[in-house]
DNA sequence: ACACTGACCACTG
DNA sequence: CCAGTGGCCAGTG
């Protein structure tokens, strides 16, 4: 996997996050075999602004905090999108994050 | 070419 | 337990 593939894979995995579920930067990085490149996942999200079909709002940090909210059109946009999908957000943090967490390393595992 | 910055995370002492 | 730190690497000045 080369570098540009990494970015593309980040987008692909993000698109696979089911409606009403969320995942984390680290989980995506880990799934792609680069768990220490979670920062790059965030960077990829930044680049995903142009691609409108990437649900960047379903990607938060490992604590379920909406760290990327200020990169949306408005700071409340991310929360609105999540709550529209049934995910509760209080104080910029996802309530019962464990319940909604979608781990690609498990869900997309090949058997 | 160099230094610094991130929408982060796991490890260490 | 918590603060510090190293790793990752594309972009920017």
């Amino acid at each position: 996997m080369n570098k540009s593939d990494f970015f593309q894979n980040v987008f692909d995995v993000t698109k696979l996050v089911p409606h009403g579920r969320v995942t984390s930067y680290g989980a995506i990085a880990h799934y792609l075999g680069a768990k220490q490149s979670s920062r790059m996942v965030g960077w990829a999200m930044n680049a995903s602004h142009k691609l409108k079909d990437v649900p960047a709002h379903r990607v938060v940090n490992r604590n379920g905090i909406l760290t990327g909210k200020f990169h949306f059109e408005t700071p409340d946009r991310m929360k609105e999108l999540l709550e529209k999908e049934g995910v509760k957000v209080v104080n910029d943090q996802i309530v019962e994050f464990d319940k909604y967490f979608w781990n690609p390393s498990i869900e997309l595992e090949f058997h």
Side-chain angles (χ1 to χ4, degrees), chain A residues 15-31:
Chain A
K15 290 181 193 173
L16 293 175
V17 178
H19 184 278
R21 304 292 296 280
V22 294
T23 191
S24 73
Y25 305 99
I28 294 173
H30 187 267
Y31 172 70

Side-chain angles (χ1 to χ4, degrees), chain A residues 60-78:
Chain A
V60 296
N61 79 353
R62 66 153 200 236
N63 296 315
I65 298 174
L66 279 53
T67 49
K69 59 179 282 190
F70 294 112
H71 292 263
F72 283 77
E73 302 170 14
T74 70
D76 293 329
R77 184 67 178 161
M78 193 172 186

Side-chain angles (χ1 to χ4, degrees), chain A residues 6-69:
Chain A
F6 178 77
F7 271 68
Q8 188 57 54
N9 287 336
V10 170
F11 298 144
D12 289 343
V13 174
T14 305
K15 290 181 193 173
L16 293 175
V17 178
H19 184 278
R21 304 292 296 280
V22 294
T23 191
S24 73
Y25 305 99
I28 294 173
H30 187 267
Y31 172 70
L32 297 178
K35 66 177 179 180
Q36 299 189 270
S37 296
S38 43
R39 303 173 100 183
M40 296 304 101
V41 177
W43 200 248
M45 289 299 102
N46 197 26
S48 80
H49 274 285
K50 331 164 186 176
L51 296 72
K52 302 193 189 317
D53 53 342
V54 178
H57 62 281
R58 295 188 189 136
V59 185
V60 296
N61 79 353
R62 66 153 200 236
N63 296 315
I65 298 174
L66 279 53
T67 49
K69 59 179 282 190

